[in-house]
Amino acid sequence: MSELDRERREMAAKLQRPGVRPDPSLRITRRTFIHRSCLLGAATVAETFAWWPLLNTIDVAYAAEEPFKFAWISDTHLYPRSLNTRFVDKTIRAAKEVQAMNPPADFLIFGGDIAQLGKIEELELGAELLKEVKARQVFIPGEHDWYLDMGKKWGQLFGEPHWTFDHKGVRFIGLDTVSRAPDYWTVKNMSPEERMGHMATLDGSVAGPWAGVGRDQLDWLSKTLSSWDKSRPVVIFSHNPLYEYYPPWNFWVRDWREVNDVLRPYANVTNIHGHVHQVLYNEIGTMRSIGMLATSWPWPYAPEGVPKLTKPMIRVDPGDIYDGVGWGNISMRNDRIEHEYIMWGRKEVFVQSGPDSSLSQPEILRSRIADKIYPY
Ligand SMILES: [Fe+2]
Ligand SMILES: [Fe+2]
C-alpha cells in the first residue's frame, strides 16, 4: 500500500465516524442558473460584465444574527505589469465586480497568492488593485507571497497572517497555512530567489510537505474558539484545505489530525480555502470545506483523492483566459449560507454531467506524437 493510501485510510478511519457530519440540519442544494446582472455605472463596463454565470450554489443551515454577504478573491498570482497584464486585468475585473455587489459585501477576504514570486512590486500591485473595493479587507497569505523575504513585505502591507473577528453572530478566523515549511534552503545555501522558485512549483516533491497550521497556531486557535458557543457558526479561512486531498501538491495541511482535534467539539464549522484553483467540496468530521476559484488559472483535479462530495467543474477551454476562473460570493441569511462561484468563462451550464471522465474511468494511454515521429 502506498504512503498516500495509508494516510488516506487513516484519515477516513479517524474522521469519518458513522453518523458524524458537520451539522445535523445541513442542507445542500446544487443549482445551476444564469445570473443576468449588470454593474451599476458605466454602460461599457456593464456590457463587459453583463453575464455572470453563477454555479454550484450550496445552501447550508446556519444561524447568523442578520443577513449579510461577503466576498472572496484569491490566487491572483500577479506578475509586475511590465511582464504580464493578463492576471492584472482579471484582478481588476474581480475587484470591480465585488465593489458592484448589491447588496454590498460587508467585507472582502483575500485568500492568498496575491503575488506570483513574492516580489515587492507584485505585492504592492495587488494592494493597489484591491483598493477598488471600498469594504473592509482582510488577508491571509499564500506560499507565493511568502518565500522571497519570508513574509516581511506581506506583513507590512496586510498585517498579521492569522486573526479573528466576530461579525453578526459568526466567528471568523483567518489561518496561516504557508509559513511553516521545513527549512531545506539553509543547508542547500539557496538564495531568496531560488527558495521562492522552489516553493512556487505545484509539485511538492522539492519543497516537501510545507502546508501546515503549526503547534503554536493550533494552540491559538483552540484558545480563540474556547470562548465561543459550540453550536454557533464558525468560518475559517485558510489558503490550503484543512484536510488531506492531495499531499504531493500540498492540497492539504500536514497536521490535519491536530486541526480536527481542535475543531471536533464545534458543530458548525465551515472552512473556505484557496490554493486548489478549482471547485471543491468536502465534509470532514464536523467541518465542511469549500474550495474556491482562482482569478489567474484553474488547476486540474489531482489524479486521485478528489472528495466524493465534489461535483467537479468540467474541463476548461484553454482558448478562453476567463474560463475556469473567477471569485466567490457568500451570503449568510436567515438560517443558511448561500455560496456562489462567479466563474467568468461559462455562458450557461456549469455542472452538466457526473465526474470528469478521467476521474471515473481509466485514461486511455497512447504514445506521444513525438514518439511516433521519432521512434528511437
Ligand atoms: Fe495559487
Ligand atoms: Fe498556493
Side-chain angles (χ1 to χ4, degrees), residues 39-58:
L39 292 182
L40 300 173
T44 50
V45 175
E47 193 180 324
T48 310
F49 299 148
W51 288 81
W52 296 354
L54 304 187
L55 37 101
N56 201 10
T57 299
I58 300 173

Side-chain angles (χ1 to χ4, degrees), residues 75 77 113 143-144 239 275 277 297 299:
D75 297 277
H77 289 269
D113 285 352
E143 78 279 15
H144 286 253
H239 186 62
H275 187 58
H277 299 205
W297 68 81
W299 284 124

